[in-house]
């Protein structure tokens, strides 16, 4: 039985990602619904050397080479080649849960409010949320909470917000970190990570981040998402849209 093809484009920037990309593509292939296209922007043809064309023939993969190594520049180049109204950004070191594409796409069906940015819940392979170490420090140490309150002019801290000092905090509710099987949405956030799904039209409202050539675009996800928050987009994290990330120190 063939899987349903949804009008959604997955865009991905990669650099020296030849061993990571097959894992991402394999997880996409295992999804209950497939995207209309996958556009990957690498920095060298070798980035694509381990992609088995026969294995992934059901996926419409478009490969682009960028002369500039920078995830923002590469992602923007991929977006220029998108042929659908819905864009899903993915990093090359992720693996998507089997209902990722379908659950993400459902946010944009019918008459549902479209001015939204849907962020995935990013988990480690042990199923703990990526932000759990930061949140454990927050919930377990009063001195840490007091320092953050100081930087926020002693105003109540909000989930996934930007402090008065300009620092970002990945604060999540305790029960959200448990990530049980029941779907849960955390919305009206001030910023989200780069693993997001949105309508292509949102790009015109977003802050145009111009990173220095050859340097990593630090906090580009914050600039992008927070600028849309200020334009009255609803930023949310959907706990049923799950991607897995390798744990780093």
């Amino acid at each position: 039985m063939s899987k349903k093809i949804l009008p959604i484009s997955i865009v991905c920037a990669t650099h020296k990602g030849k061993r990571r990309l097959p894992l991402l593509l394999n997880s996409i292939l295992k999804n209950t619904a497939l995207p209309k296209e996958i556009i990957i922007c690498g920095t060298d043809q070798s980035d694509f050397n381990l992609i088995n064309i026969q294995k992934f023939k059901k996926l419409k993969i478009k490969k682009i080479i960028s002369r500039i190594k920078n995830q923002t520049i590469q992602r923007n180049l991929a977006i220029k080649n998108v042929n659908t109204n819905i864009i899903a950004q993915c990093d090359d070191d992720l693996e998507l849960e089997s209902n990722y594409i379908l659950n993400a796409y459902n946010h944009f069906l019918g008459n549902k409010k479209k001015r939204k940015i849907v962020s995935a819940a990013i988990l480690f392979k042990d199923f703990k949320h990526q932000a759990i170490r930061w949140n454990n420090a927050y919930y377990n140490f009063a001195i840490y909470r007091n320092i953050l309150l100081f930087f926020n002019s002693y105003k109540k801290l909000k989930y996934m917000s930007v402090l008065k000092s300009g620092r970002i905090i990945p604060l999540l509710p305790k029960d959200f970190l448990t990530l049980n099987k029941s779907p849960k949405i955390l919305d009206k956030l001030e910023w989200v990570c780069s693993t997001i799904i949105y309508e292509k039209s949102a790009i015109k409202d977003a802050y145009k981040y111009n990173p220095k050539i050859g340097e990593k675009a630090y906090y580009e996800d914050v600039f992008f998402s927070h600028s849309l928050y200020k334009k009255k987009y609803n930023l949310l994290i959907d706990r049923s849209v799950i991607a897995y990330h390798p744990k780093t120190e």
Side-chain angles (χ1 to χ4, degrees), residues 208-227:
K208 302 300 185 294
Y209 187 88
N210 295 308
K212 293 181 179 179
I213 303 301
E215 292 188 3
K216 181 176 175 62
Y218 290 105
Y219 298 114
E220 50 87 16
D221 50 353
V222 179
F223 282 110
F224 183 88
S225 59
H226 187 65
S227 68

Side-chain angles (χ1 to χ4, degrees), residues 25-246:
L25 293 173
N26 192 53
S27 71
I28 295 173
L29 189 62
K30 290 180 179 179
N31 258 249
T32 53
L34 300 180
K36 183 176 180 180
E37 59 185 5
I38 301 170
I39 304 172
I40 305 171
C41 185
T43 54
D44 189 271
Q45 186 58 43
S46 63
D47 290 331
F48 307 105
N49 282 353
L50 298 183
I51 296 177
N52 186 318
I53 300 300
Q54 185 63 27
K55 179 178 180 180
F56 299 121
K57 64 181 181 180
K58 290 184 179 179
L59 304 177
K60 185 179 178 182
I61 302 172
K62 184 173 184 179
K63 306 169 188 175
I64 302 172
I65 302 295
S66 172
R67 292 178 298 173
I68 301 172
K69 181 189 74 174
N70 180 280
Q71 71 269 38
T72 299
I73 293 173
Q74 290 173 239
R75 184 183 296 129
N76 289 341
L77 186 58
I79 288 172
K80 287 180 180 178
N81 287 271
V82 162
N83 293 300
T84 67
N85 186 43
I86 307 298
I87 297 172
Q89 295 182 182
C90 280
D91 292 334
D92 66 355
D93 55 355
L94 294 176
E95 294 180 53
L96 309 185
E97 197 272 339
S98 62
N99 286 319
Y100 183 101
I101 296 170
L102 181 61
N103 290 346
Y105 181 72
N106 282 340
H107 279 276
F108 301 93
L109 288 176
N111 296 320
K112 293 181 181 179
K113 187 177 179 181
K114 302 297 197 302
R115 286 175 65 88
K116 62 174 68 174
I117 307 298
V118 180
S119 177
I122 309 297
L123 308 187
F124 293 129
K125 293 296 182 68
D126 59 5
F127 301 103
K128 292 180 179 178
H129 197 282
Q130 190 178 39
I132 194 167
R133 289 175 290 191
W134 191 98
N135 278 262
N136 280 345
Y138 175 84
Y139 286 116
N140 293 327
F141 298 100
I143 188 171
Y144 189 50
R145 294 194 295 274
N146 288 329
I147 290 171
L148 290 170
L149 282 170
F150 171 78
F151 284 127
N152 203 40
S153 301
Y154 292 99
K155 296 187 183 299
K156 183 180 178 180
L157 299 176
K158 300 176 182 178
Y159 301 126
M160 297 295 290
S161 63
V162 180
L163 301 181
K164 295 292 184 181
S165 65
R167 295 164 175 82
I168 59 171
I169 60 169
L171 179 62
L172 295 169
K174 275 187 178 181
D175 58 344
F176 192 90
L177 294 171
T178 62
L179 286 156
N180 57 33
K181 294 299 181 181
S182 59
K184 183 174 180 180
I185 292 174
L186 190 66
D187 66 351
K188 299 179 182 178
L189 309 176
E190 295 184 7
W191 68 279
V192 287
C193 71
S194 60
T195 308
I196 52 178
I197 304 92
Y198 55 91
E199 285 192 310
K200 191 177 182 179
S201 58
I203 295 171
K204 71 180 188 306
D205 293 327
Y207 173 78
K208 302 300 185 294
Y209 187 88
N210 295 308
K212 293 181 179 179
I213 303 301
E215 292 188 3
K216 181 176 175 62
Y218 290 105
Y219 298 114
E220 50 87 16
D221 50 353
V222 179
F223 282 110
F224 183 88
S225 59
H226 187 65
S227 68
L228 292 169
Y229 159 77
K230 294 199 292 185
K231 293 286 184 68
K232 308 301 181 184
Y233 280 73
N234 183 17
L235 276 56
L236 61 92
I237 300 175
D238 185 340
R239 200 166 65 176
S240 71
V241 181
I242 297 173
Y244 299 98
H245 189 280

